[in-house]
Amino acid sequence: MSLFIDHLAAIVGSQNCLTSQGDLAPYLVEERGLYHGSCRAVVKPGSTSEVAKVVALCAEAGESIVPQGGRTGLCGGAVSEMGQVVLNLSRLNRIRSIDAIDYSMVCEAGVILATAQEAALQIDRLFPLSLAAEGSCQIGGVISTNAGGVNVLRYGNARDLVLGVEVVLADGQVWNGLKSLRKDNTGYDLKQLFIGGEGTLGIITAATLKLFPRPREVETAFCAIPHPQAAVELLAIARAATGDAVSAFELLPRIGLEFVCRHIPGCSDPLSAPSPWYVLIELTSAREGGELRAALEIMLEKALELGLVTDAVLASSKEQRSALWRLRESLPEAQKFEGGSIKHDVSVSVSKVPEFLERATKVVLAALPGVRPVPFGHIGDGNIHFNLTQPVGTDKAEYLEEWERMNRIVHDIIADLGGSFSAEHGIGQLKLGEMEHYKSPLELDLMRKIKRALDPKSLMNPGKVVRL
Ligand SMILES: Cc1cc2nc3c(=O)[nH]c(=O)nc-3n(C[C@H](O)[C@H](O)[C@H](O)COP(=O)(O)OP(=O)(O)OC[C@H]3O[C@@H](n4cnc5c(N)ncnc54)[C@H](O)[C@@H]3O)c2cc1C
């Protein structure tokens, strides 16, 4: 055991400084199995001051740090390499304060997202960030990745939901930026550097989060639509007809529904006839009185007349609502049963989604005959998970070797349409190459300058987001 490890253990307690291979193993696993980590130690501090002491010690010793939340990130950002120190935030799990009048709460980094949502509901408020990994991902992780999820359309992504942050900087100083101000026009908005920074500029130890009125009415509909153009037109109509009450608007292709019904127990097609595409619409309102249901029914009638919707089912209970959401949220899991999947987390402006889907589908089918495109996701934000399932009967490993070639084909179309090659999952290590290919040299240069200014020894999650 080295002196450095002894010092780490003295800060966090020996039971929270893990070094044996058996103890380290769970912290090295990555969500998609694309990477396998290695590290020197996993430390689990229990307070901001312990985080600060660990970071100061690492800075002095020149040891690099990989911050880690719930390890649900999809770009390998929390995966460490040999010799690195993993700084796991899960013990910083207190909700420090919650204020119904200010519509805000202060959560430590290790608070599980679902716990934060529940705490808000307890005081009749809503913390709207919601995604399928909410039972495992942590507040520090969702802020560091600027996570999106299913309610971005109405409430914005993590960046829009943070009023302040507390950060341990690369030299171990603590910046207390935990303000809960709605207005603060005092120069550079420093918190924005750490939101979406993926742990490369500092370690978020706590954040002040925005809350909203708790919805009193929720209406959910699963609609069959003829094509993606109908989806974007339907969204425009739904927003206007419901007074912008649309909080989620998700796209699902027929093949996706088939995968879910085939592989996820308890899932079945809720409509009587197959349709090439579907959208899951959710409306929410903080008012009671049944107006939302009426607005949804009127809007769907109009959409049926216009041919934008061919059939629809409306949830009439909490259980039915969950069953409809399961069709959408189980899709990534269901895809795993069909073999390898080459993923794209892309965005274009909403009106360009149909053109993107048409062009990208045509080109990938020509490049790799038999490949099965499964485009789904947050079409209301222009964000599509353009996932490509391997052709039937082919070898998974061989198929996955096509990853970079297919990425280039799809991302070139995205670039041509003025879109983003990473809409909500971030960069991590997975998309470093795409970053260098598609970001302008000027933007990369600015990012490197920021990185060097805040982390001159490059010890904070090096090799992620931007290569120096
Ligand atoms: C089933 C599933 C569904 C998902 N759906 C969505 C979705 O709809 N939208 C979406 O945006 N994402 C989604 N994700 C991705 C993932 O859940 C998010 O990226 C999430 O925000 C990661 O949080 P985490 O706590 O697991 O972070 P980790 O995976 O542990 O870390 C992610 C990154 O943040 C850094 N980090 C973690 N904590 C801190 C901290 N306290 N300070 C500084 N840096 C830190 C890590 O170093 C790493 O770079 C999904 C993932 C899964 C598995």
Side-chain angles (χ1 to χ4, degrees), residues 167-228:
V167 179
V168 173
L169 303 172
D171 59 2
Q173 290 188 83
V174 180
W175 172 47
N176 183 348
L178 276 181
K179 292 184 175 170
S180 58
L181 303 175
R182 305 279 161 162
K183 286 187 158 186
D184 178 19
N185 214 352
T186 53
Y188 305 136
D189 189 355
L190 297 174
K191 68 176 179 299
Q192 298 299 349
L193 288 174
F194 302 98
I195 303 172
E198 299 186 42
T200 60
L201 300 178
I203 295 174
I204 295 173
T205 46
T208 314
L209 306 173
K210 271 188 208 171
L211 304 180
F212 294 81
R214 182 171 70 81
R216 293 288 190 274
E217 281 187 19
V218 180
E219 294 293 343
T220 310
F222 189 78
C223 308
I225 58 165
H227 39 65

Side-chain angles (χ1 to χ4, degrees), residues 407-437:
N407 276 185
R408 184 51 32 85
I409 288 172
V410 173
H411 292 161
D412 276 355
I413 297 172
I414 284 294
D416 189 48
L417 292 171
S420 168
F421 63 86
S422 185
E424 64 171 8
H425 296 159
I427 301 300
Q429 47 186 310
L430 182 68
K431 294 179 190 166
L432 270 177
E434 301 306 273
M435 191 76 164
E436 283 161 12
H437 190 80

